Amino acid sequence: MARILVAEDDPSVRAFVVSALTMKGHEVVAEDDGGLAAETMDAEAGRFDLLLTDIKMPVMDGIALALQVGAAYPDVTILMMTGFADQRERAHGLEALIYDVIAKPFTLADLLAKVDDALAGKPVEVVSLARQSQIP
């Protein structure tokens, strides 16, 4: 299984994500802001398979964290999560750096499937806005 660093400032979301990933068999380290996550990544010399980060956080947001981790540790896959549409748009220019953005709220199945896809390097399915409006 994988080593995953989670950066999420909401305690209930962080607990849900850590519990789900641990039950799946992953080794998970969690921090409650991007600054602490950056310190952990550096302390571990980038020895993580995946960074799963919220976009909107105090101290250092997920965009800044992704830029720092991507520059220092290009082999770490980065998956972002957000409950804010405007924050998702901020990540839009980072396609070369991040794997994808998962929208909150998400189900356990959605989270685990997206993490599995990211770890496997499965291409992200891009759904056009026209097709999204047709999906029930």
Side-chain angles (χ1 to χ4, degrees):
M1 299 275 65
R3 287 192 84 220
I4 301 173
L5 176 59
V6 174
E8 169 59 63
D9 63 316
D10 182 307
S12 59
V13 174
R14 186 173 59 250
F16 172 77
V17 169
V18 168
S19 177
L21 296 174
T22 302
M23 285 188 327
K24 181 81 176 186
H26 298 296
E27 179 184 339
V28 182
V29 176
E31 298 294 358
D32 61 9
D33 72 61
L36 290 172
E39 291 176 12
T40 298
M41 184 65 73
D42 287 341
E44 293 285 329
R47 288 187 299 270
F48 288 95
D49 301 298
L50 180 72
L51 168 63
L52 176 59
T53 180
D54 190 14
I55 294 178
K56 189 172 182 164
M57 294 182 291
V59 183
M60 176 187 276
D61 71 7
I63 302 288
L65 177 60
L67 291 169
Q68 183 173 327
V69 169
Y73 310 104
D75 291 337
V76 176
T77 300
I78 302 170
L79 178 60
M80 304 185 97
M81 51 189 167
T82 189
F84 301 93
D86 63 324
Q87 297 301 313
R88 187 179 176 95
E89 286 302 312
R90 287 185 56 218
H92 184 67
L94 300 177
E95 288 91 356
L97 184 62
I98 67 170
Y99 176 76
D100 200 4
V101 179
I102 184 170
K104 295 178 190 174
F106 44 75
T107 66
L108 175 66
D110 290 341
L111 173 66
L112 294 178
K114 187 60 75 172
V115 166
D116 285 349
D117 288 350
L119 290 169
K122 182 179 175 186
V124 176
E125 179 184 351
V126 178
V127 179
S128 72
L129 291 176
R131 203 165 133 230
Q132 283 179 4
S133 66
Q134 297 171 350
I135 297 173

